[in-house]
Amino acid sequence: MSTASVRAAAIDAAERRGGWVPDIDARMAALQSPVRTVLEPAFEALAEADRVTLVPDAHYPFHPSSGMVTDPAVVGAIVARLERETDADVAVAGASDDRISFDRTARYLGYEGLLERFEASLADLADDSRTGDFCAIADESIALSVPNRLAEGTVVVVPSLRPTADGPVAGAMRTLDALVDCDAGPDRAPVAATRAVDPAVAVLDATTAYGGDPVAGNALFAGSAPAVDAVATTLLDRSLAADGALETARGDRGPISVAGDADFEALRARLPDGELPPADDTHPAVSTAYRVYAAVTGDAVPPQLEGDR
Amino acid sequence: MALPFLHRWTDSDALSLGLLGVGNIGMVHLKSAVAMPAVDVVAAADARPENRARARNDGVSRTYDDYEALLDAEALDAAVVALPPFLHADAVERAAEAGVDVFVEKPLARSTAEADRLLETAREAGIAVGVDHTLRYQPDMMGVKEAYDEGGVGHVPYASITRLNDHPLGRPPAGDAPPEWPMDPEAAGGGSLVELGVHCFDVLEWLFGDLEIKDASMGRTLETEAEDAATVLMNAPETGTTITLHCGTYQWEQLPEVNTRLRLEGVTGTISNREHLPTNFYAGAATSALSNVASRFTSDEPDVFGPTFYLQAHYDALADFCDAIREGERPPVDGEDGRRTLALAETAYELAAADAAADADDPDGLEAPEVSP
């Protein structure tokens, strides 16, 4: 049993008004030193890479101040560090899905404008050719189809600190799983995707966290994907044992040490442990109440209150 | 006022109505019309198969994938135009050719120029144009107007209105694919100011008379082409009221809660729309349910969408339009009202653009000193 190490860095918010700074340049400036700190243990590997792909949580254009996506400023600060200190080709990647194209999400979130300041590019992995792979997890052989960019290059995954609709944290492993086709269930697919991609480091964006409400966390955490996900799970007050993927990934590994100037316990105490809003436009209780009311009175049910969003 | 409409009713006793577009708001109009006495919803058109299926489930017997095909095939008295704004003018033109009166979802058009062409086409064809500006139909807004008209707070030097929602991106978890057109100024005519602000302009003119736009500012919380926040400073000369309007599509919304706030600051106190709303949705729904159950025994018509005042307002607006068509009268909220809200929005955009240009030219806000030779 070994101890996994996670590096933590606080972001100086002493002079800040409100919980959010709209100016991305100001946010990136505040992130410069924390990014350097958390990337330090992984930097040797990153410095040797020909190509580095950053994978943020950019699943939908929710405003970054909500904590529901990775703050592009965190990604920008990492890109800046990589371009300053390495010769690697850097890209920021996501994937179009049946909901929204990655180009559109990236544009709304400001990635297009952000990356114009650098040599880095945007990559839609839905357009990428793929590599077939197999991954053995608990004696089960799992087939995967991995975008070549993730299979062949060096990857830095940058998850947000938020729950998924199902309850567990979104985390590094599930952020990667969203980009990998895999025939395993929810407890194994994120593990298989993470092992297939084998990210050099995971950087948890806790600058703003969402746990039912957004909270300015003002911190970054970096380490292996499972270790960072365990930190996220603990910060959002979820059970490590209840997250099947995390249990599978961590196995019998021991405790996680968090080192750095971010006050982990104080942050944990500040963060709410809530869920995402209900999926329906209307709270299910309201939809049910309305259906009963309409059945009694003969009134029409407005389409917005019918549920089944 | 009776209008010299060329086209009049079909032979049926009921008003024959077609729905051009049955997406989000079009389904509200459809459900309203189906529940309306003396209205026969004969057909609906929508490009999306799932919307046509929903319309059939709600009692529409004939659906079309193209609104022009519907207008060609059906004998209508009136049509609800609930298509994206870039189709409003074309749809009204087709309806005018068929001699069908129209109830157009807001914004009436994408610009005053387009609205002028639309209204001229309607005039030449002798069809009536109504516009779905619904805030003035909401009970909270009617309560504010009644209190204001009664002089309940004396002179009102200042008023403010705020309307916020999350259209079209929504809130977590990420849902259906968001449509592109509401965020494309070319398709929608603008951003949140034409999505929400035009409703506010309409209710403010209903309360205070003609408005003069003094200044405006547009904002974007995301890197979208269209603004998702707009703030407008106005004067109402007739009542001597300074007014601020803020509308935005950046705030997460969970129905039945809606963020619409109107405050009139008077000499002796404040009139707020919140005072004219049920404080609790369930209590309001229960009251409405009791009222509607009672109406079964008294043979009164139930309040359609009773517990949801903002959707009931859509029902009432369409019902008023249909009543006007039956009577051969001008719709109570007509095309000229819709055009006026667009003119106010255009002025606000122009002032905001001028301010932004001035800020870009002079970022420090310092004027260059005049230097004498």
Side-chain angles (χ1 to χ4, degrees):
Chain A
M1 188 179 292
S2 62
T3 300
S5 176
V6 168
R7 179 71 69 101
I11 294 135
D12 183 10
E15 302 296 317
R16 195 170 74 193
R17 291 181 201 277
W20 178 254
V21 176
D23 181 356
I24 193 170
D25 290 313
R27 297 204 306 281
M28 284 172 55
L31 284 159
Q32 188 175 344
S33 172
V35 161
R36 188 187 314 116
T37 299
V38 297
L39 284 185
E40 191 179 352
F43 212 76
E44 192 173 330
L46 294 172
E48 291 173 358
D50 294 328
R51 187 168 72 175
V52 178
T53 302
L54 305 184
V55 179
D57 176 2
H59 71 288
Y60 194 80
F62 294 121
H63 196 275
S65 69
S66 69
M68 279 299 299
V69 294
T70 302
D71 181 359
V74 172
V75 176
I78 296 172
V79 172
R81 171 93 172 117
L82 291 171
E83 290 202 346
R84 200 164 44 240
E85 304 290 341
T86 78
D87 295 325
D89 290 332
V90 179
V92 176
S96 299
D97 57 24
D98 55 5
R99 183 180 300 129
I100 191 166
S101 74
F102 178 62
D103 283 351
R104 195 175 168 204
T105 300
R107 188 169 71 247
Y108 291 171
L109 289 175
Y111 280 108
E112 274 189 2
L114 172 69
L115 297 187
E116 283 173 3
R117 310 154 194 231
F118 304 105
E119 299 291 316
S121 58
L122 275 174
D124 184 351
L125 299 181
D127 302 331
D128 205 14
S129 52
R130 291 182 169 247
T131 301
D133 199 355
F134 286 92
C135 177
I137 296 175
D139 299 329
E140 182 187 357
S141 182
I142 295 170
L144 304 109
S145 173
V146 185
N148 283 352
R149 179 176 277 278
L150 301 187
E152 296 166 0
T154 299
V155 172
V156 177
V157 57
V158 194
S160 58
L161 178 51
R162 65 168 177 95
T164 59
D166 296 329
V169 296
M173 294 196 298
R174 292 188 178 88
T175 299
L176 292 173
D177 181 35
L179 306 178
V180 172
D181 291 337
C182 175
D183 61 359
D187 286 351
R188 296 190 176 185
V191 184
T194 303
R195 289 183 183 168
V197 173
D198 189 21
V201 65
V203 180
L204 176 66
D205 172 14
T207 55
T208 304
Y210 183 85
D213 290 303
V215 168
N218 303 321
L220 298 177
F221 298 87
S224 71
V228 156
D229 284 4
V231 165
T233 300
T234 306
L235 282 171
L236 293 184
D237 205 21
R238 276 140 171 88
S239 161
L240 294 171
D243 186 333
L246 194 52
E247 276 285 281
T248 304
R250 296 191 66 234
D252 60 356
R253 286 181 202 167
I256 294 166
S257 73
V258 178
D261 62 353
D263 188 336
F264 183 83
E265 288 304 327
L267 177 58
R268 183 183 180 189
R270 282 202 301 124
L271 295 182
D273 60 357
E275 309 286 343
L276 297 190
D280 288 336
D281 279 337
T282 309
H283 193 284
V286 175
S287 292
T288 302
Y290 212 109
R291 284 177 197 278
V292 171
Y293 152 80
V296 170
T297 64
D299 193 357
V301 180
Q304 288 82 353
L305 301 188
E306 286 180 313
D308 304 322
R309 181 188 180 193
Chain B
M1 181 181 77
L3 295 175
F5 295 139
L6 300 178
H7 167 75
R8 288 276 45 91
W9 277 42
T10 53
D11 294 336
S12 166
D13 288 341
L15 191 76
S16 176
L17 191 74
L19 276 297
L20 314 186
V22 280
N24 190 34
I25 196 65
M27 278 303 295
V28 173
H29 294 312
L30 187 153
K31 289 197 167 210
S32 295
V34 165
M36 224 168 263
V39 170
D40 184 13
V41 181
V42 298
D46 200 289
R48 298 180 67 168
E50 62 271 27
N51 289 348
R52 296 197 296 276
R54 286 172 72 198
R56 286 192 293 273
N57 287 340
D58 279 300
V60 179
S61 55
R62 294 188 294 281
T63 59
Y64 299 81
D65 61 6
D66 177 347
Y67 70 85
E68 293 187 67
L70 185 155
L71 289 168
D72 287 343
E74 301 286 348
L76 302 179
D77 295 311
V80 175
V81 179
L83 300 159
F86 61 89
L87 293 173
H88 286 186
D90 286 348
V92 171
E93 190 173 331
R94 296 288 89 74
E97 289 168 3
V100 173
D101 299 318
V102 287
F103 181 72
V104 184
E105 188 47 53
K106 60 81 201 163
L108 172 65
R110 292 174 293 174
S111 65
T112 52
E114 191 173 63
D116 288 339
R117 290 195 296 276
L118 181 158
L119 293 174
E120 180 58 26
T121 300
R123 259 191 302 273
E124 288 173 357
I127 64 164
V129 178
V131 183
D132 187 28
H133 283 305
T134 51
L135 278 187
R136 62 165 85 178
Y137 284 92
Q138 290 186 185
D140 54 333
M141 299 298 169
M142 290 192 278
V144 168
K145 182 166 174 59
E146 185 178 352
Y148 178 51
D149 288 347
E150 287 176 353
V153 292
H155 172 51
V156 174
Y158 174 69
S160 60
I161 188 166
T162 303
R163 176 75 184 101
L164 298 170
N165 71 10
D166 59 10
H167 182 72
L169 289 176
R171 56 167 174 74
D176 296 336
E180 297 250 11
W181 64 261
M183 304 172 86
D184 175 1
E186 289 294 313
S192 57
L193 194 61
V194 293
E195 167 67 17
L196 300 173
V198 291
H199 275 320
C200 300
F201 287 138
D202 178 69
V203 82
L204 291 171
E205 287 208 328
W206 179 63
L207 285 165
F208 300 110
D210 288 347
L211 300 172
E212 296 174 353
I213 308 285
K214 308 307 288 185
D215 207 350
S217 172
M218 304 297 148
R220 289 168 180 77
T221 63
L222 292 168
E223 296 298 320
T224 50
E225 280 187 75
E227 84 282 355
D228 65 3
T231 307
V232 184
L233 175 66
M234 290 162 278
N235 273 350
E238 186 179 336
T239 59
T241 306
T242 298
I243 306 165
T244 53
L245 178 164
H246 178 75
C247 59
T249 46
Y250 56 81
Q251 188 176 72
W252 296 355
E253 178 180 72
Q254 182 162 17
L255 299 174
E257 295 299 323
V258 291
N259 191 348
T260 305
R261 290 166 200 275
L262 173 65
R263 286 175 64 91
L264 276 54
E265 306 295 350
V267 170
T268 65
T270 301
I271 302 170
S272 166
N273 72 312
R274 312 299 286 183
E275 296 161 5
H276 300 276
L277 286 176
T279 52
N280 178 289
F281 169 78
Y282 297 99
T287 304
S288 203
L290 288 172
S291 168
N292 277 353
V293 169
S295 72
R296 287 184 151 191
F297 298 101
T298 59
S299 300
D300 292 337
E301 293 297 335
D303 290 334
V304 177
F305 302 144
T308 48
F309 61 90
Y310 45 91
L311 293 173
Q312 192 178 23
H314 284 286
Y315 176 93
D316 291 341
L318 181 57
D320 263 10
F321 169 80
C322 291
D323 287 346
I325 298 307
R326 282 192 198 90
E327 301 300 324
E329 294 178 350
R330 181 188 296 278
V333 184
D334 71 359
E336 292 300 333
D337 296 316
R339 187 203 182 278
R340 246 193 340 272
T341 66
L342 287 172
L344 292 166
E346 282 181 354
T347 305
Y349 281 132
E350 288 165 8
L351 288 170
D355 285 350
D359 287 346
D361 289 344
D362 185 17
D364 298 325
L366 300 174
E367 290 183 14
E370 289 185 21
V371 179
S372 302

